[in-house]
Amino acid sequence: MYRKTFTALLVAGLALSSSGLPAEAGNKPTDNPSAHAFDNKVIKKINVDNMYNNIAKLSAQPREAGTEGEYNAVQYIKSQFEQLGYETELQPFTFPEWDGGDSSILLNDQVFDGGVHTFSGSVNGNVTAPLVYVGLGSTEEVSNDVEGKIALIERGSYSFYDKIQHVLDKGAVGVIMFNGDGNTGYQFGSAYEGQDIPAVAISREDGLKLVNRLENENVTATVNVENAGNVDKTSYNVIAKKKPHPNKDTGQITMIGAHHDSVHGGPGANDDASGVSAVLELARIMAKTPTDTELRFVTFGAEEKGLVGSYHYASTLSEEEVEKTVAHFQLDMIGSRDAGDLIMFTPDGEKNLVTDFGAAAGARISEVVEYGQLGRSDHVPFFERGIPAALFIHAPLEPWYHSPDDTLDKISKEKLQEVAEIVGAAVYQIARPDTPALENARVAPGPVDYEYDDRPL
Ligand code: BES
Ligand code: ZN
């Protein structure tokens, strides 16, 4: 039933044009005052200072999933939705996170005094054996001599998996890896399942000292890893629902999403406090605007841990809800002054209802929005359930992506305003009660031609 109505909307829109543009807007769509008026109800109400202030609040501390910083953000977002009058739900879920436990090294029975970090994915264990240096750990460098010994490996050139596997294949009983030239910190890659050997990481300076020492003396090392493993952490989705006007209900649902978590230690002003700010602002505007469509404003947790929150939420949707959901708009990284133009990404690189409405709204407001192919955000789980979904983002990306420099001062109010207008107008074209009443192009602008762009990130 609702599907039929929706098809009618599109068909009526298409009927308006032969060129792919609305008949009335044969020239530049933004020059068409009546088409623009179509969006005024939403776009005139956007207050970009609200958005900016929310980014300021959210980016004041990192919001890594499962941390107190995320929890504070979740409470803040919930309270904002509730102040707007939304029925709001916190949806908890768990995800596994690596905890390195305690690790230590002994060298000829003396405690090694440098920093020791458990290699991500390492098994627990305590091994004592002669230490042998195997360079970068290539198959050529790792001889049979490694059998029964602990391998000292330099980071670089080969994957962590390969390095560990090469020494394991030759019978090594433990691994100490040190940073390669130019590497800092202990953000080493991961050992993999089946690589059941205690493995630890040390600094480059300490590693080179050990290499030197091995040239002059035999060293017996102990590598000890305790209490390492995955622990369950809790993260949350925040869900605010707006029911349609009871007399106008088409039975459709439209979703507007962003992720509130940041990477570890990152302020995530653009990634993705910017998207959350747009979700909150559109929720504010739609709170008092009658619609014929149910709107769901959702901020997801643990996106940066592998889209965990959005997969969880999508898995809780019933078949019936999926059937009713006509669109998912995902806003992720929409405010960086240092990024490129707006683009809409779909996981399969195909247009869909969301990109059609996004492109057309762009044409009315600033310019036609291009589309491309990309996953990597919370539109993916909805796409996988068959819901038309797209990611709104600027590309190429800013250089601060996933860094501690993703801060408020890099946020552009112009960019925020433009994306909120385009997405707000597209959402409202779906949700407004006076569509489909499309006989008149002044009431409902039609679709536009828009291009695929293989834009670099
Ligand atoms: N905001 C990014 C998505 C993104 C990154 C889009 C780069 C386009 C280019 C998102 O928060 C992110 O970083 N996603 C992860 C995905 C993952 C953990 C499954 C990524 O891309 O590494
Ligand atoms: Zn993101």
Side-chain angles (χ1 to χ4, degrees):
M1 168 63 175
Y2 39 85
R3 287 283 181 199
K4 202 166 137 208
T5 317
F6 211 78
T7 310
L9 187 152
L10 278 178
V11 170
L14 281 165
L16 297 171
S17 78
S18 51
S19 64
L21 283 169
E24 262 186 59
N27 50 357
K28 251 183 94 208
T30 40
D31 295 340
N32 177 359
S34 52
H36 205 263
F38 177 74
D39 303 308
N40 276 349
K41 229 178 164 158
V42 169
I43 68 178
K44 285 219 160 143
K45 292 186 191 147
I46 292 168
N47 180 341
V48 78
D49 290 326
N50 285 345
M51 296 174 68
Y52 192 82
N53 292 340
N54 276 330
I55 298 173
K57 288 215 174 75
L58 291 165
S59 64
Q61 63 178 316
R63 305 177 305 281
E64 184 182 12
T67 67
E68 198 185 338
E70 187 209 13
Y71 193 70
N72 294 340
V74 159
Q75 292 298 340
Y76 177 72
I77 295 162
K78 179 170 181 268
S79 74
Q80 294 297 106
F81 280 136
E82 283 172 347
Q83 270 176 37
L84 296 169
Y86 285 93
E87 202 184 290
T88 307
E89 181 200 340
L90 285 193
Q91 183 184 55
F93 57 90
T94 61
F95 64 96
E97 185 151 86
W98 171 252
D99 181 340
D102 311 302
S103 50
S104 57
I105 297 173
L106 300 181
L107 299 171
N108 290 340
D109 293 328
Q110 302 284 306
V111 174
F112 166 76
D113 54 6
V116 182
H117 282 246
T118 309
F119 213 95
S120 166
S122 171
V123 295
N124 291 307
N126 187 324
V127 290
T128 300
L131 185 65
V132 54
Y133 178 49
V134 297
L136 291 163
S138 65
T139 40
E140 292 77 39
E141 288 163 297
V142 180
S143 69
N144 291 335
D145 180 46
V146 172
E147 182 162 4
K149 298 187 176 154
I150 292 172
L152 177 66
I153 315 177
E154 180 177 350
R155 180 179 172 185
S157 300
Y158 308 98
S159 70
F160 294 105
Y161 173 82
D162 284 346
K163 287 166 185 280
I164 295 176
Q165 197 59 42
H166 293 160
V167 299
L168 198 58
D169 287 345
K170 297 286 186 186
V173 295
V175 166
I176 301 176
M177 202 177 299
F178 64 94
N179 268 325
D181 202 6
N183 301 131
T184 51
Y186 297 96
Q187 279 295 339
F188 284 28
S190 189
Y192 283 77
E193 211 163 307
Q195 298 191 317
D196 294 339
I197 178 172
V200 294
I202 62 175
S203 72
R204 176 160 186 81
E205 201 194 341
D206 288 338
L208 292 176
K209 267 195 225 158
L210 256 180
V211 173
N212 254 329
R213 186 168 163 187
L214 283 172
E215 282 169 8
N216 301 312
E217 62 170 318
N218 290 330
V219 176
T220 295
T222 297
V223 170
N224 184 35
V225 177
E226 281 174 13
N227 304 320
N230 282 328
V231 286
D232 273 348
K233 295 265 177 134
T234 301
S235 175
Y236 302 85
N237 296 323
V238 190
I239 305 154
K241 287 185 191 162
K242 179 197 151 84
K243 291 285 171 205
H245 190 286
N247 300 338
K248 310 240 156 123
D249 188 0
T250 59
Q252 294 168 357
I253 303 169
T254 291
M255 307 214 299
I256 304 103
H259 69 90
H260 57 245
D261 65 313
S262 71
V263 292
H264 175 77
N270 197 41
D271 188 8
D272 185 25
S274 66
V276 174
S277 79
V279 169
L280 288 173
E281 184 59 7
L282 294 179
R284 187 184 68 79
I285 291 166
M286 299 315 283
K288 296 196 185 68
T289 309
T291 62
D292 65 10
T293 301
E294 176 177 328
L295 296 179
R296 293 192 185 175
F297 299 93
V298 188
T299 75
F300 301 104
E303 189 270 357
E304 303 286 7
K305 307 289 182 188
L307 319 180
V308 187
S310 49
Y311 268 113
H312 179 74
Y313 179 71
S315 78
T316 65
L317 296 176
S318 67
E319 285 303 325
E320 197 199 341
E321 280 174 299
V322 168
E323 205 25 45
K324 290 165 108 175
T325 306
V326 295
H328 178 92
F329 293 79
Q330 178 70 18
L331 298 116
D332 193 354
M333 306 173 76
I334 55 152
S336 176
R337 63 158 203 226
D338 304 299
D341 287 337
L342 183 63
I343 185 164
M344 303 174 293
F345 284 120
T346 58
D348 61 353
E350 297 291 331
K351 295 177 175 179
N352 61 33
L353 201 117
V354 177
T355 59
D356 286 350
F357 279 83
R364 301 195 296 277
I365 287 160
S366 54
E367 54 184 333
V368 178
V369 189
E370 295 175 329
Y371 74 106
Q373 180 169 18
L374 192 77
R376 297 180 66 170
S377 191
D378 295 318
H379 57 313
V380 173
F382 301 97
F383 166 83
E384 288 179 357
R385 287 214 66 181
I387 294 168
L391 164 65
F392 290 73
I393 191 168
H394 295 113
L397 303 183
E398 65 276 20
W400 332 115
Y401 165 63
H402 279 188
S403 87
D405 296 324
D406 178 6
T407 45
L408 183 67
D409 53 305
K410 321 284 196 325
I411 294 292
S412 148
K413 288 190 182 176
E414 288 69 31
K415 281 234 173 68
L416 292 175
Q417 174 89 34
E418 190 203 18
V419 180
E421 285 189 11
I422 291 172
V423 174
V427 167
Y428 192 51
Q429 185 169 359
I430 299 174
R432 59 191 295 151
D434 59 355
T435 55
L438 302 181
E439 300 76 30
N440 186 340
R442 272 180 302 217
V443 176
V448 293
D449 278 334
Y450 61 111
E451 302 290 320
Y452 184 88
D453 189 9
D454 197 7
R455 206 183 293 174
L457 290 175

